[in-house]
Amino acid sequence: MASLQFHGGITEDFIYDTELDEPREPHLFRVHMILQLMFGMKPSPKMPKLMPTWAQSVLGVVAKAYCVLVIFGSFHLGVLFTKATLDALPTGELQRITDALTMTIIYYFTAYSTTYWCVRSRRLHEYLQQINQEYRHHSLAGVSFVNCYAAFSMSRNFTVIWIGACLGGVIFWGITPLVVGSHVLPLSCWYPFDALAPKTYPWIYATQLYGQVLVGVVFGIGGSLFVTLSLLLLAQFDVLYCSLKNLDAHAMLLSGQNSKVLGVLQKKLLLDPTNCELNQYALLKEHPTDLFQLTLAKQRSRPDCALRDGFIQCILLHRFILRCAAELENLFSPYCLVKSLQITLQLCLLVFVGVSGQHDLLGIINQIQYFSLTLFELLMFTYCGEVLRRHSVRAGEAYWRGDWWKDAHQIRQDVLIFLINSRRAVQVTAGKFYVMDVNRLRSVITQAFSFLTLLQKLAAKKTETAN
């Protein structure tokens, strides 16, 4: 019975506050799954059970062909920009070279990212399904509780805003020729034919515009998915810490303790200045349980048994969080390695073009958009990794907020083992080489500006030689 209290709203034994205890969300990643299906990152989509076998086979082939087409759309633009970069090298024009090289890096990474999520789509789907089914909606029944709906709402809003910002930045670049009324392409890359001819121009323009949309979606999905998973893991840690804080209250509830005694404990945990710590939780807000509306189970449990059962559920939750964190590391470690390299080079080139290049007003706006999105994306990965690493080792603090120690002889050995295991910090690495934290943020920015200094010296030397 105790394990069901994590989910909330699915048992008749306990009734929580209907205003503060939001219902459990069964689909946490609906937006990400829809976008991955729309933009060719899901080669094996789930088919309706009532669909005939032949139709499922046809749709499966169509889905795989569409994924290949999307990957080719990004890859062929990367190849064309590679040729443009090679053609610009003999001229020695650094601005032209860096412009072409920046777009080459962007489109190669888009092709890599699309291919990566296609290959990992089945494993990613199983991982997300496991979280949907097993995540704990709120903490154990006690005198206070936290609810995970706030984390879901925050991640959903962030996903919509971030993907919208990415699409807005790249689409603005793509429609710039239409805005100024110029018969040019949005991307200046090499073509083996006349791309500005009347018959080919609309098709090439549509291809490049779609390529820009792919860039925005791919960049948006990777970052938003990482942030969403990080927020949900932080919320699960908050659920764990609130449950540990309420262990003794949970045991009292299951043993049939009256509301007057529980009210005294509630005031002690929530209103006592010595217990009102700041930043107990990373995301969620703690609410007092309405003890008068709380209905108790017909069967009573012994306090020591209830305490042990509740603590076992906390251990199971901690194991679930560690499994999810380990899978997050396995899924994003190769992605973060390539992402770190891409962001380092892209930041360097964008800053160099912005400082040394000559652009009109629309070009300057596009450069600022790309630079801001790239820098914010780096901040997303490193900041979430830092907060997750720091918040994952606070189980010991949560223990001492309750009065479970009065019955510690019942769970002494379990507590010692749990405390030892909880000291292992959760972290996400870039290819097992670097930890994605604020130190990585500083090192990437330092490396980017080191390359920028080198490019500026080369440009200055070329100018002196020309004079």
Side-chain angles (χ1 to χ4, degrees), residues 123 127 233 320-332 426-427 432:
R123 183 171 181 176
Y127 175 52
L233 286 180
F320 167 73
I321 297 174
L322 293 182
R323 289 198 307 269
C324 292
E327 188 63 15
L328 177 68
E329 158 71 6
N330 292 331
L331 283 172
F332 277 91
V426 169
Q427 60 186 21
K432 310 296 182 181

Side-chain angles (χ1 to χ4, degrees), residues 195-269:
L196 299 179
K199 294 183 178 180
T200 58
Y201 178 75
W203 297 100
I204 299 300
Y205 196 103
T207 301
Q208 291 190 356
L209 185 59
Y210 182 68
Q212 287 291 91
V213 173
L214 286 179
V215 170
V217 172
V218 168
F219 276 63
I221 285 181
S224 64
L225 183 59
F226 182 81
V227 172
T228 297
L229 290 170
S230 299
L231 292 178
L232 292 174
L233 286 180
L234 288 171
Q236 291 298 282
F237 275 114
D238 286 347
V239 168
L240 173 63
Y241 297 160
C242 186
S243 300
L244 293 172
K245 178 180 178 179
N246 279 273
L247 266 181
D248 54 330
H250 180 70
M252 294 168 65
L253 278 172
L254 295 185
S255 61
Q257 188 62 262
N258 60 62
S259 60
K260 184 177 181 180
V261 177
L262 292 172
V264 173
L265 180 59
Q266 187 179 66
K267 292 180 180 179
K268 178 181 178 181
L269 291 180

Side-chain angles (χ1 to χ4, degrees), residues 251 303-313 410-412 414:
D304 55 344
C305 295
L307 180 68
R308 182 176 177 82
D309 291 340
F311 185 68
I312 289 175
Q313 297 308 318
Q410 301 289 339
I411 55 174
R412 179 179 55 188
D414 298 325

Side-chain angles (χ1 to χ4, degrees), residues 26-46 66 117 120-130 132 159 163 217 221 224-225 228-229 331-332:
H27 303 290
L28 300 172
F29 310 98
R30 182 182 287 111
V31 176
H32 301 92
M33 293 294 97
I34 292 175
L35 288 176
Q36 285 192 329
L37 183 62
M38 289 176 57
F39 290 93
M41 301 180 204
K42 204 171 182 181
S44 301
K46 185 178 180 181
Y66 178 63
W117 292 123
R120 292 289 188 104
S121 63
R122 188 181 301 275
R123 183 171 181 176
L124 176 64
H125 178 71
E126 293 175 354
Y127 175 52
L128 300 183
Q129 283 295 105
Q130 181 188 13
N132 277 327
T159 298
I163 293 180
V217 172
I221 285 181
S224 64
L225 183 59
T228 297
L229 290 170
L331 283 172
F332 277 91

Side-chain angles (χ1 to χ4, degrees), residues 125-146:
H125 178 71
E126 293 175 354
Y127 175 52
L128 300 183
Q129 283 295 105
Q130 181 188 13
I131 295 178
N132 277 327
Q133 295 171 3
E134 299 183 20
Y135 85 97
R136 274 60 166 179
H137 181 55
H138 59 60
S139 55
L140 283 174
V143 295
S144 64
F145 69 94
V146 293

